[in-house]
């Protein structure tokens, strides 16, 4: 079965063709980073306009690269939320009209379920059940995943998402937007033990996270060391990253032990972080757990993961109606959105 996936929840216009929820035939991502860079963050109105410009060429390119004919596409899966409403509307409305014109099913995919399904695009997919850590610019959460459509929330951030913390710290260090990749790179030149930041929520018994305090702590450090902080940027970045990574890896492994799972996954834009990838792999190996982290290009927003999730929704008999609307925030456990 061939699914055309479409993703426009934030600042990437993406389309992909995926076979049977696991084989990527094509995947195109058109990034808007250059547009938003000068504003230090995503400007929603500009994002919507750029999606409108990019959606047709990106979809056409994905179909062309896939080597299949348009008439062979079995269904269209598009991100329905959470994300920027104006941005989501471009991809979801496009998907509605295209599915209607082709006479094929439309599937509205939860972006977070898309990220979780990214692990099934890799050769060694995890068996169910497994525990997944989702770390992105908008979300940070731990899930107990028992099937493609049964995903239980175990804990989440009470304030900033971890990617947001990376971006805000990069901004206050004057490193530009988005900041995750820059901090990751800079950390490699620094000493993570030189400037120790407290590990937020490490000793709380639940699976929730908090990242706004550590961002403030970095801000205080910079404020107190105005004249010398520029010379210590790599140590600040390394200290911040080490603190964040330690909490994420610790809670992920604790969650897997609690649920008796032998397999864990890390997904979302921040899963590209080299420190996080290394720490999770090292700590999991010490506990005998098997780790599943997608290749870097599948960590950030892409449409292959949306097509993969869409395939499993369709197999479970879940499709969307032309009257369905997009949604900006996930207020309920994510699987409830699949059925609404
Ligand atoms: O999943 P994603 O592409 O979009 C959302 O759904 O939010 O995640 C984007 C986030 C941004 O905050 C970006 O700074 C962060 O992922 N990110 C990283 C790295 N690469 C991207 N954070 C830490 N280290 C990285 N290497
Ligand atoms: Zn995302």
């Amino acid at each position: 079965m061939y699914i055309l996936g479409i993703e426009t929840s934030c600042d990437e216009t993406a389309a992909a063709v995926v076979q049977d929820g696991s084989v990527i035939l094509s995947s195109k991502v058109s990034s808007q980073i250059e547009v938003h860079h000068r504003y230090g963050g995503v400007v929603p109105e500009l994002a919507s306009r750029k999606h409108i410009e990019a959606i047709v060429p990106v979809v056409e390119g994905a179909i062309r690269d896939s080597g299949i004919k348009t008439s062979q596409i079995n269904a269209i899966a598009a991100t329905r939320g959470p994300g920027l409403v104006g941005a989501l509307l471009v991809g979801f409305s496009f998907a509605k009209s295209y599915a209607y014109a082709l006479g094929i099913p439309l599937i509205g995919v939860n972006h977070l379920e898309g990220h979780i399904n990214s692990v099934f695009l890799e050769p060694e997919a995890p068996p169910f059940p497994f525990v997944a850590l989702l770390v992105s610019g908008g979300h940070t959460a731990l899930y107990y995943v028992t099937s493609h459509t049964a995903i239980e929330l175990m804990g989440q951030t009470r304030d900033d998402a971890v990617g947001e913390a990376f971006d805000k710290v990069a901004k206050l260090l004057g490193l530009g937007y988005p900041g995750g990749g820059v901090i990751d790179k800079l950390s490699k030149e620094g000493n993570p033990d030189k400037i120790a930041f407290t590990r937020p929520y490490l000793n709380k018994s639940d699976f929730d996270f908090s990242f706004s305090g550590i961002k403030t702590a970095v801000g205080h450090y910079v404020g107190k060391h105005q004249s010398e902080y520029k010379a210590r940027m790599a140590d600040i970045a390394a200290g911040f990253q080490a603190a964040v990574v330690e909490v994420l890896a610790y809670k992920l492994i604790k969650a897997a032990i609690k649920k008796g799972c032998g397999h864990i996954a890390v997904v979302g834009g921040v899963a590209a972080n080299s420190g996080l990838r290394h720490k999770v792999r090292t700590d999991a190996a010490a506990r005998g757990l098997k780790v599943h982290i997608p290749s870097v290009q599948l960590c950030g927003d892409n449409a292959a993961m949306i097509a993969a999730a869409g395939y499993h929704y369709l197999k479970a008999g879940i499709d969307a109606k032309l009257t369905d609307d997009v949604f900006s925030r996930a207020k309920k456990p994510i699987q409830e959105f699949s059925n609404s």
Side-chain angles (χ1 to χ4, degrees):
M1 194 184 282
Y2 300 115
I3 310 281
L4 169 66
I6 294 175
E7 155 64 37
T8 63
S9 67
C10 191
D11 58 349
E12 258 102 28
T13 315
V17 177
V18 173
Q19 187 176 0
D20 299 334
S22 59
V23 182
I24 302 174
L25 300 186
S26 64
S27 181
K28 284 226 166 287
V29 180
S30 165
S31 171
Q32 305 178 357
I33 282 178
E34 278 182 22
V35 178
H36 303 291
H37 185 265
R38 79 183 92 141
Y39 302 102
V42 178
V43 183
E45 174 66 20
L46 290 180
S48 312
R49 287 168 188 260
K50 284 286 154 193
H51 284 308
I52 290 171
E53 282 171 27
I55 189 83
V56 171
V58 167
V59 169
E60 276 178 350
I63 297 173
R64 195 177 49 239
D65 290 0
S66 72
I68 67 157
K69 294 193 201 77
T70 306
S71 58
Q72 290 176 275
I73 300 171
N74 298 97
I76 299 179
T79 308
R80 200 177 147 197
L84 302 169
V85 165
L88 288 162
L89 271 173
V90 177
F92 199 53
S93 307
F94 178 93
K96 278 183 185 176
S97 14
Y98 203 24
Y100 182 72
L102 293 174
I104 56 176
L106 164 76
I107 310 143
V109 173
N110 182 305
H111 183 79
L112 310 180
E113 292 191 23
H115 275 299
I116 292 169
N117 273 277
S118 62
V119 291
F120 298 102
L121 295 164
E122 296 294 350
E124 264 191 79
F128 295 113
F130 63 91
V131 169
L133 171 69
L134 168 75
V135 276
S136 73
H139 298 87
T140 302
L142 273 166
Y143 297 103
Y144 178 52
V145 187
T146 51
S147 84
H148 289 283
T149 50
I151 299 165
E152 178 198 318
L153 180 68
M154 294 181 73
Q156 62 186 324
T157 182
R158 300 210 176 179
D159 40 59
D160 290 351
V162 67
E164 193 179 350
F166 267 95
D167 293 339
K168 285 179 177 169
V169 165
K171 198 170 177 176
L172 69 89
L173 293 176
L175 298 170
Y177 170 85
V182 190
I183 293 203
D184 190 358
K185 228 171 132 188
L186 196 58
S187 293
K188 290 181 185 149
E189 295 157 28
N191 177 352
D193 302 319
K194 204 102 180 234
I195 305 159
F197 294 106
T198 43
R199 275 55 177 150
Y201 272 48
L202 187 67
N203 298 319
K204 294 226 182 216
S205 59
D206 60 17
F207 294 105
D208 282 350
F209 302 96
S210 165
F211 296 108
S212 77
I214 187 161
K215 166 203 72 191
T216 310
V218 176
H220 282 153
Y221 184 89
V222 167
K224 259 208 226 153
H225 302 85
Q226 277 297 334
S227 49
E228 34 336 348
Y229 89 88
K230 285 211 166 113
R232 299 182 189 166
M233 293 268 262
D235 291 336
I236 301 174
F240 162 75
Q241 183 169 296
V244 164
V245 159
E246 186 177 331
V247 179
L248 291 170
Y250 176 77
K251 293 223 169 178
L252 168 60
I253 286 165
K254 197 172 138 192
I257 291 166
K258 181 176 178 191
K259 292 291 189 185
C261 289
H263 291 256
I264 56 175
V266 188
V267 298
V270 185
N273 185 270
S274 59
L276 180 61
R277 294 171 89 92
H278 179 74
K279 176 89 177 139
V280 168
R281 285 196 177 117
T282 313
D283 292 1
R287 293 281 190 163
L289 301 172
K290 181 104 182 48
V291 180
H292 303 264
I293 310 178
S295 53
V296 168
Q297 62 273 23
L298 286 174
C299 291
D301 288 347
N302 66 86
M305 67 184 195
I306 303 301
Y311 169 77
H312 296 289
Y313 280 29
L314 201 63
K315 269 188 39 183
I318 304 162
D319 59 2
K321 294 180 282 298
L322 290 179
T323 49
D324 283 348
D325 201 358
V326 299
F327 57 90
S328 62
R329 294 171 67 95
K331 294 195 193 84
K332 295 189 276 180
I334 57 182
Q335 69 273 20
E336 288 180 30
F337 280 109
S338 312
N339 303 306
S340 64

